[in-house]
Amino acid sequence: MAAIDGPAPGVAERARSRGWTETLHDWVATVDHKKLGLLYIGAGIVFFLIGGLEAAAMRWQLAFPDNDALAPDTFNRLFTMHGTTMVFLVGMPIITGFGNYLIPLMIGARDMAFPRLNAWGFWMFAFGGLLLYFSYFGSTGLYGAGSAPDVGWFAYAPLAGKAFSRGNATDYWILGILISGFGSLSGAINMIATAFTMRCKGMTLGRMPLLVWMMVVVSFLILIAMPPLTAAQVMLLFDRFLGARFFDTQAGGDAVLWQHFFWFFGHPEVYILMIPGFAYVSEIIPVFSRKVIFGYAAMVAATVAIGFLSFGVWAHHMFAVGMGKGLNIWFGAITMVVAVPTGIKLFNWIATLYGGKIRFRVPMLFCSAFLMQFLLAGLTGIMLASVPFDWQLSDSYFVVAHFHYVLIGGLLFTIFAAVYYWFPKMTGLMLSETLGRWHFWLFLLGFHLTFTTMHVQGLLGMPRRIYTYPADRGWEIWNLVSSLGVVFQAAGVVCFIAAIALAFRRRVPAGDDPWDAWTLEWSTSSPPPAYNFAERPEVRSRRPLWDQKHPDDPDWKYE
Amino acid sequence: MSQAVVSAQDTAPRDWTRGQVGMLSLILAETSFFGVFLVAYLFYIGRSLNGPYPEDVLELPLLATGCLLASSATIGLAVRELARERVARFAAGLFATVVLGGAFLVLTALEWQRLIVDHGLTLSTNLFGTTYYSLVGFHAAHVCIGLLLMIGVLALAVRGHVHRQHTERVDLLSWYWHFVDVVWLAVLSVVYVVGV
Amino acid sequence: MTRLGCALALLLVGIAARAAEPGAVQTPSIFAPVSAPSEAIADYAALVIGICGAIFAVVVALIVVAMVRFRARADDDGREPPQVYASNQIELAWTVLPILIVFVLGLVTARTILALQKDERPEGWLEVTAIGHQWWWEFHYPEYDITTANELHIPLSQAEARRPTFLNLQSQDVIHSFWVPQLSGKTDVVPNRTNHMWMEPTQPGLYVGQCAEYCGTQHANMLLRVVVETRDEFERWVERQQRPAVADASLADERALFERTACINCHQVRGTLADGRFGPDLTHLMSRATLGSGVALNNRANLIDWIAHPDHLKPGARMPAMQLSPAQVERVADYLVSLE
Ligand code: HEA
Ligand code: HEA
Ligand code: CUA
Ligand SMILES: [Cu+2]
């Protein structure tokens, strides 16, 4: 394209430059769900590296007491950007990306229901993310009180109001998240419409792969939970720019109202992040145990139950704000009830392992670690839900330990599993098993060094979001170990990046179905053609490829 | 599984089309959005530290409500006509909807003018002003979006570009419009009934 | 239960090892409670940890057994294992069992909440109003009409003469949170509302804690020190705080200098012209061990440093550098040091 107006170049040169610009054009202008999915995942991984470096900087500052490697405001910006990045620019795009990539393939469709909306969503997300990071350069504002936002990832009012947060940093936080939220919303609308209206012949709702089911539930959660965040952010924006009074405590506004709005979004949000992790595990564990998922119907029911419950528990983030006894008891109890459907899932995965022939390839390694880590994370969640205990633990490092266990031990491990599992399908290339194992073990070690210790720091009374701490509190050794762990995590991440880079150099072909799996995406070529399936498939059971491979003993006889 | 080129099959016959599912999803999200503003309004009733207070300045906007409700009916009729390929009647129905929706906006504008000029109530006056203008304003913004879309369809219809096969899309527009209408009923009962 | 709690406490505090020398700061472990509410929480926490620990052990055992027993062997015949789709009995079992556990846990939780969030106050309770500021604490004792900052003195509560302290928590600006782990759970300090919490200490000593809700730049240095004293010590302390500021005639010039600078717009020294409310009350400044809510020891050298550039010890502090000459700073410090 670019070559058209210029002086006529040599033929070879022309082909090369056209190739380059055309590839770029292909990716930028694409409406193909697979390319968009990869864009989402790729952007998510890039932001993960950035967020990880921010975390490493924080751990450097916290490694020693009274350290002054970072100025207080720098540190406060780092945890704000780290948390915001990891939740909104890492978790959200990666789960949207896998959903985009896999749902049409798994239900035998040729694209998402609204391909252009899909592309729009991605670019809104990308723009929002860049806007947030532009704050580092652009938000100095009138008072010179600028740089990145420093109000924490939940930006409690009135700290985030005009009076206490001058300059434009907080506005970048608001607008960046608000805009990138359109990506999640349009993704959710798309996934629901695709799953409900574009399934191939024979694929009843009861035969949809669990991943699709879970992404549908996630999409509903996004539709209901995201807009309240948008609304609350709009209110904050009105407060900051138009002099509205929503969270202005001088004018009778209520500081706790923001918390209710934020956590009405925030709690479902954590399940929005975790359920896709469950979804990958529910596809991967059966394949590597060589067994059908145990209790498909119970899994779907449990997911739906978690979805409903997640809207009734938000105030468990607010046990310390001084709610009445009744509310405290209610929110504590209903939060604990979430353990029941979550337990059902965990037990179903264990039952799937039971009696199988488990092959511990890299994706399965990550899933195995996930099972135990998520168990522990869930149980610390129960401790937090135990209201009086939470009066001690809230806003301490115990909470930081809890949510990194769910977000890393739960979500990130399953994302790694999913990357190792679907990478062959996405690119047609295998990832190195050796590097994968290095990645796994290094990251596992680093993760536990960093975050297991944080439980102790919390119990010893260390609050979160402090840029420094005195040397006499008995927290030193724990923090040092915590920080050391980051070295191993970073080494693990380097192996991960190296494995991906190497795969493109070595180009070991993967074949269509390297894991001997059973869902429809493995029936087409790797990578799948733009139209996905030459012929639209027709299915008779939940595991069409099992039926194909075992005509003597097909699934549909039993379901 | 015998066809090689499948286009009609891409959307296997289902009870719901993807447009319908998409619009319902959008409506769900919007409901949630308005829900938060409604909750904020309810929460702050009676908490303003200074006047003007709603009971002193608000008047039940019956005429505006009537217009909006009527416009829901007219767009419903219009869609029915389009399904029968009676494009002129369709355009007339749509035109009536636009007029009624426009009347609603004008009435809202008049009310705002009265509140701002006569009573000095702005977004920053007190909590009532804050919650009132943001809630009613977001609703009015949705009315504007709906009107713009309908004016677009009307222009196409007048030029003869709208036919029976477009019924589904126009129907989706009418769903959106009904939704805006229902939101108004919620706003009306919260702001003008519960809140005064 | 208490024993399990103690064991855990020993474990945690023990590893963090430090001999409890007098005057040394103790690790603010939640498992080293010295007050009725924090003891109740520690016991309850030990129970919750016990239940969750048991669940963890059982489920991890299940996972490990499944993985070890059913790993693919080298001599695998390549045949797929039997496919098991579901079992209603089993699903029912692992639905009902957690429900029962949750039910029990819920009841215990409700009971503990009701016991700790109580409305009735025993005879002889002490009222203190704590006000959070960016980034320091203000304390009022309405009963005694005294005001102090950052270091809270409260009396011991003994079985024969109970004297629990009830705090009214208010904020001057953003949300803070009052947390001294050994004395009580935390309660947020929210502008435009008054929260309540109580402590009933059973051992004299110095207990540290800090603001536990992120409140801006110096959230990390919004430290809290609570001094628990016997009845008599506490009464003596109150009596001293009630006196107006020391007026040492030999420091009249220094005092005049202080009264001429802008300090008085923000600070109060009872008995002088200084009656500002924005910063900590300085009437008995030297009765406090630390400066700037715990960032530095309270001595002449640090005072000079602080007055000359508050940003040096506490970057971002809401007290401006007053642009005094070094000599003036020294003289103001001399005056402040006299405020016993
Ligand atoms: C992926 C995200 C994710 C997930 C899945 C969870 C899951 C849970 N979380 Fe967590 N949580 C976060 C992310 C997540 N959380 C984040 C990010 C924060 C902090 C936000 C911030 O402040 O910045 C947080 C904070 C947080 C708090 C507030 C703490 C505070 O600030 O004071 C609480 C309190 O109740 C809580 C509870 C729970 C519970 C009960 C679960 C449950 O869903 C867990 C259920 C699972 C199990 C219990 C294990 C399996 C079950 C069994 C084996 C059955 C048998 C078990 C029993 C009968 C108990 N979480
Ligand atoms: C998915 C979510 C997620 C993930 C993955 C992480 C990952 C990590 N987090 Fe984070 N964290 C949060 C979500 C997450 N976090 C949230 C929501 C908060 C709350 C924020 C708030 O309070 O507002 C938080 C807060 C938080 C804190 C508390 C800050 C405070 O309260 O003061 C800490 C402290 O140690 C921390 C540490 C870490 C570490 C060490 C990692 C590590 O796992 C990171 C490992 C990754 C790396 C080390 C990157 C390696 C990069 C390279 C090697 C670069 C290579 C480069 C090229 C090849 C180009 N996090
Ligand atoms: Cu005050 Cu944090
Ligand atoms: Cu939650």
Side-chain angles (χ1 to χ4, degrees):
Chain A
M1 279 200 139
I4 292 175
D5 302 328
V11 177
E13 205 176 295
R14 183 180 188 147
R16 197 158 9 95
S17 78
R18 278 194 62 205
W20 183 84
T21 49
E22 245 169 36
T23 315
L24 186 66
H25 181 260
D26 267 4
W27 283 91
V28 172
T30 186
V31 294
D32 175 21
H33 74 98
K34 296 182 290 301
K35 285 202 169 126
L36 286 167
L38 291 176
L39 282 172
Y40 267 121
I41 297 170
I45 291 178
V46 170
F47 278 121
F48 168 70
L49 294 178
I50 298 174
L53 289 174
E54 285 159 356
M58 285 194 290
R59 284 312 328 166
W60 172 245
Q61 162 73 9
L62 291 176
F64 310 102
D66 297 316
N67 197 358
D68 54 7
L70 299 176
D73 282 329
T74 313
F75 184 91
N76 297 344
R77 284 173 197 136
L78 281 175
F79 71 68
T80 304
M81 292 297 273
H82 165 76
T84 308
T85 303
M86 289 298 191
V87 170
F88 294 101
L89 308 180
V90 177
M92 292 308 276
I94 293 183
I95 64 147
T96 315
F98 274 107
N100 255 312
Y101 196 98
L102 293 172
I103 289 177
L105 286 170
M106 284 189 153
I107 61 172
R110 296 214 149 124
D111 206 324
M112 296 288 273
F114 310 108
R116 270 174 298 187
L117 178 67
N118 210 4
W120 179 78
F122 172 77
W123 292 106
M124 290 305 268
F125 152 75
F127 178 67
L130 292 178
L131 189 66
L132 180 69
Y133 270 89
F134 184 68
S135 64
Y136 265 113
F137 315 102
S139 76
T140 310
L142 280 180
Y143 306 92
S147 198
D150 61 355
V151 288
W153 85 279
F154 40 70
Y156 274 0
L159 186 64
K162 197 85 197 158
F164 300 102
S165 171
R166 298 187 300 160
N168 290 110
T170 304
D171 304 317
Y172 278 87
W173 179 83
I174 297 173
L175 288 170
I177 300 313
L178 200 154
I179 291 173
S180 78
F182 287 124
S184 314
L185 274 176
S186 60
I189 292 177
N190 234 324
M191 289 193 249
I192 291 179
T194 309
F196 278 136
T197 63
M198 301 184 57
R199 298 188 306 274
C200 68
K201 221 166 168 187
M203 180 155 307
T204 56
L205 286 179
R207 288 184 193 152
M208 278 198 316
L210 276 178
L211 183 141
V212 183
W213 257 114
M214 295 191 186
M215 290 311 295
V216 167
V217 173
V218 166
S219 301
F220 274 110
L221 294 188
I222 292 180
L223 288 185
I224 299 173
M226 272 324 252
L229 174 67
T230 307
Q233 287 181 319
V234 167
M235 292 176 186
L236 192 55
L237 215 54
F238 281 7
D239 274 12
R240 292 177 59 88
F241 280 104
L242 305 178
R245 309 279 182 201
F246 282 107
F247 310 113
D248 179 354
T249 46
Q250 303 294 312
D254 195 314
V256 177
L257 187 65
W258 168 269
Q259 301 190 15
H260 281 294
F261 289 161
F262 186 90
W263 292 117
F264 184 78
F265 148 78
H267 187 80
E269 168 69 14
V270 306
Y271 291 106
I272 290 170
L273 291 172
M274 199 57 248
I275 293 176
F278 296 163
Y280 313 147
V281 172
S282 304
E283 296 298 330
I284 296 172
I285 286 189
V287 168
F288 288 93
S289 314
R290 310 309 306 156
K291 271 185 71 209
V292 64
I293 184 84
F294 187 89
Y296 173 94
M299 287 300 251
V300 173
T303 312
V304 175
I306 292 177
F308 275 108
L309 284 172
S310 72
F311 287 108
V313 303
W314 76 90
H316 67 209
H317 296 271
M318 301 161 56
F319 286 141
V321 297
M323 291 189 295
K325 295 175 233 186
L327 284 180
N328 277 337
I329 292 176
W330 160 261
F331 280 106
I334 196 80
T335 302
M336 291 179 185
V337 172
V338 182
V340 177
T342 316
I344 293 177
K345 293 190 159 203
L346 200 67
F347 295 131
N348 275 318
W349 291 318
I350 300 176
T352 307
L353 294 174
Y354 207 84
K357 291 182 176 175
I358 309 168
R359 300 183 308 192
F360 286 100
R361 304 293 296 276
V362 177
M364 188 61 193
L365 284 178
F366 279 104
C367 286
S368 316
F370 157 82
L371 289 179
M372 295 183 226
Q373 288 160 184
F374 181 74
L375 171 67
L376 184 66
L379 291 169
T380 56
I382 296 299
M383 297 178 200
L384 293 170
S386 308
V387 185
F389 201 0
D390 186 70
W391 289 332
Q392 290 284 18
L393 298 178
S394 183
D395 271 312
S396 77
Y397 260 80
F398 194 89
V399 175
V400 179
H402 159 71
F403 69 70
H404 282 93
Y405 255 74
V406 263
L407 285 170
I408 300 182
L411 175 64
L412 195 61
F413 269 67
T414 60
I415 287 179
F416 286 143
V419 171
Y420 283 94
Y421 182 68
W422 278 292
F423 187 85
K425 176 52 58 185
M426 294 169 167
T427 60
L429 306 170
M430 288 305 278
L431 285 169
S432 151
E433 187 81 7
T434 323
L435 273 176
R437 279 171 195 272
W438 275 102
H439 171 196
F440 172 75
W441 289 109
L442 283 170
F443 200 81
L444 186 82
L445 176 67
F447 165 69
H448 285 280
L449 281 179
T450 303
F451 296 107
T452 312
T453 45
M454 283 190 191
H455 293 104
V456 182
Q457 280 142 248
L459 294 173
L460 295 181
M462 177 165 168
R464 63 194 283 203
R465 296 170 159 187
I466 53 173
Y467 75 92
T468 188
Y469 54 94
D472 58 9
R473 302 285 157 113
W475 304 333
E476 303 90 316
I477 178 71
W478 303 102
N479 277 298
L480 188 60
V481 173
S482 229
S483 296
L484 272 178
V486 177
V487 178
F488 295 95
Q489 291 187 66
V493 173
V494 168
C495 291
F496 173 61
I497 302 294
I500 291 179
L502 215 66
F504 286 106
R505 291 204 49 191
R506 288 233 200 100
R507 307 201 76 83
V508 181
D512 292 350
D513 184 12
W515 311 115
D516 194 4
W518 302 310
T519 36
L520 277 181
E521 77 269 28
W522 303 103
S523 71
T524 183
S525 61
S526 307
Y531 45 86
N532 291 353
F533 301 97
E535 293 177 24
R536 284 202 72 194
E538 188 176 335
V539 303
R540 298 182 71 182
S541 79
R542 289 168 200 149
R543 294 193 298 170
L545 269 64
W546 170 275
D547 296 352
Q548 224 170 61
K549 293 169 186 172
H550 303 272
D552 46 319
D553 189 27
D555 257 6
W556 46 266
K557 283 201 184 152
Y558 303 97
E559 276 169 9
Chain B
M1 285 203 17
S2 51
Q3 291 128 293
V5 181
V6 212
S7 55
Q9 220 188 321
D10 262 347
T11 45
R14 301 272 164 210
D15 321 354
W16 298 93
T17 67
R18 54 182 132 167
Q20 287 169 334
V21 176
M23 180 53 80
L24 285 179
S25 305
L26 182 70
I27 287 177
L28 180 62
E30 292 262 33
T31 308
S32 186
F33 181 84
F34 276 109
V36 170
F37 278 94
L38 285 166
V39 168
Y41 193 93
L42 285 167
F43 184 82
Y44 279 140
I45 286 175
R47 293 214 188 188
S48 293
L49 299 183
N50 54 287
Y53 302 103
E55 52 273 27
D56 306 329
V57 294
L58 287 187
E59 286 157 19
L60 206 57
L62 285 177
L63 185 58
T65 305
C67 287
L68 208 55
L69 289 180
S71 74
S72 243
T74 52
I75 195 170
L77 290 174
V79 174
R80 276 228 216 90
E81 297 300 331
L82 185 63
R84 300 189 192 121
E85 188 65 49
R86 293 198 278 221
V87 179
R89 288 171 146 231
F90 161 70
L94 201 58
F95 181 70
T97 313
V98 171
V99 170
L100 287 167
F104 173 85
L105 275 187
V106 171
L107 289 168
T108 305
L110 288 174
E111 178 176 39
W112 283 29
Q113 193 217 16
R114 186 172 58 81
L115 291 175
I116 295 170
V117 177
D118 300 351
H119 300 284
L121 180 74
T122 68
L123 190 72
S124 57
T125 308
N126 55 15
L127 287 169
F128 164 54
T130 295
T131 49
Y132 168 83
Y133 285 112
S134 49
L135 176 57
V136 175
F138 266 109
H139 176 263
H142 280 72
V143 174
C144 288
I145 295 173
L147 281 182
L148 286 177
L149 292 173
M150 285 193 291
I151 289 171
V153 176
L154 196 58
L156 290 173
V158 170
R159 289 164 168 233
H161 294 309
V162 180
H163 299 286
R164 180 194 230 135
Q165 65 266 34
H166 302 115
T167 309
E168 196 211 324
R169 292 187 185 184
V170 179
D171 195 35
L172 292 180
L173 181 54
S174 82
W175 287 16
Y176 174 85
W177 193 251
H178 295 319
F179 164 72
V180 172
D181 212 5
V182 172
V183 171
W184 177 250
L185 291 182
V187 172
L188 184 77
S189 35
V190 165
V191 175
Y192 299 91
V193 180
V194 179
V196 291
Chain C
M1 227 56 262
T2 324
R3 219 164 303 140
L4 181 52
C6 288
L8 267 168
L10 278 179
L11 182 75
L12 291 169
V13 182
I15 314 175
R18 82 191 47 256
E21 325 143 20
V25 170
Q26 297 175 36
T27 297
S29 165
I30 72 168
F31 285 114
V34 293
S35 150
S38 54
E39 271 159 17
I41 293 179
D43 286 349
Y44 165 82
L47 173 72
V48 175
I49 293 180
I51 294 177
C52 290
I55 298 175
F56 182 72
V58 171
V59 181
V60 162
L62 284 177
I63 297 174
V64 171
V65 166
M67 285 183 177
V68 173
R69 256 189 75 191
F70 299 104
R71 68 189 188 278
R73 321 270 161 153
D75 58 350
D76 191 65
D77 57 7
R79 292 231 307 274
E80 303 283 26
Q83 305 290 306
V84 186
Y85 293 84
S87 152
N88 286 340
Q89 287 94 322
I90 299 184
E91 296 284 357
L92 199 65
W94 63 48
T95 312
V96 171
L97 213 63
I99 289 181
L100 293 179
I101 301 176
V102 164
F103 186 72
V104 173
L105 207 54
L107 285 184
V108 181
T109 305
R111 207 190 59 191
T112 317
I113 293 176
L114 292 178
L116 288 172
Q117 263 188 310
K118 54 182 172 189
D119 305 318
E120 87 280 8
R121 300 173 180 201
E123 200 57 25
W125 60 281
L126 172 70
E127 182 180 12
V128 179
T129 299
I131 303 175
H133 297 256
Q134 277 179 326
W135 293 279
W136 60 282
W137 298 93
E138 177 181 351
F139 300 114
H140 285 295
Y141 296 70
E143 232 168 278
Y144 304 113
D145 195 24
I146 57 183
T147 300
T148 177
N150 299 331
E151 288 177 21
L152 177 65
H153 287 245
I154 57 173
L156 203 59
S157 183
Q158 280 145 326
E160 63 280 11
R162 290 183 61 195
R163 188 128 166 76
T165 304
F166 283 78
L167 290 178
N168 308 316
L169 300 169
Q170 294 166 353
S171 168
Q172 199 58 235
D173 34 51
V174 301
I175 303 178
H176 308 271
S177 191
F178 188 100
W179 189 29
V180 183
Q182 288 174 276
L183 295 177
S184 184
K186 67 177 69 59
T187 307
D188 289 354
V189 180
V190 185
N192 236 357
R193 88 165 45 192
T194 302
N195 276 340
H196 302 280
M197 66 180 285
W198 63 290
M199 308 182 277
E200 189 163 2
T202 50
Q203 272 175 45
L206 167 68
Y207 303 105
V208 293
Q210 65 194 82
C211 174
E213 183 67 80
Y214 176 64
C215 51
T217 310
Q218 279 296 346
H219 160 64
N221 280 320
M222 190 162 163
L223 307 178
L224 268 164
R225 296 160 70 90
V226 179
V227 181
V228 175
E229 294 166 317
T230 62
R231 273 295 177 79
D232 298 343
E233 283 167 344
F234 179 70
E235 296 301 337
R236 272 202 300 279
W237 177 83
V238 167
E239 194 271 322
R240 240 184 311 141
Q241 297 288 319
Q242 279 172 327
R243 288 185 222 150
V246 175
D248 186 340
S250 65
L251 289 169
D253 287 352
E254 282 79 0
R255 170 174 162 179
L257 173 63
F258 173 76
E259 285 182 324
R260 280 200 309 274
T261 58
C263 312
I264 60 171
N265 296 334
C266 296
H267 293 285
Q268 180 168 46
V269 179
R270 266 179 297 126
T272 72
L273 292 180
D275 67 345
R277 294 294 167 132
F278 185 76
D281 185 303
L282 300 180
T283 312
H284 296 284
L285 174 65
M286 294 321 281
S287 71
R288 306 202 277 268
T290 61
L291 270 184
S293 77
V295 281
L297 288 178
N298 187 7
N299 53 39
R300 187 167 179 278
N302 283 337
L303 266 175
I304 290 173
D305 195 4
W306 174 265
I307 299 167
H309 359 256
D311 255 359
H312 187 211
L313 287 170
K314 196 166 177 180
R318 288 276 190 252
M319 168 166 153
M322 302 307 300
Q323 317 293 347
L324 302 178
S325 72
Q328 286 173 317
V329 169
E330 298 231 358
R331 290 173 63 210
V332 170
D334 285 338
Y335 172 65
L336 291 183
V337 170
S338 75
L339 297 175
E340 283 292 340

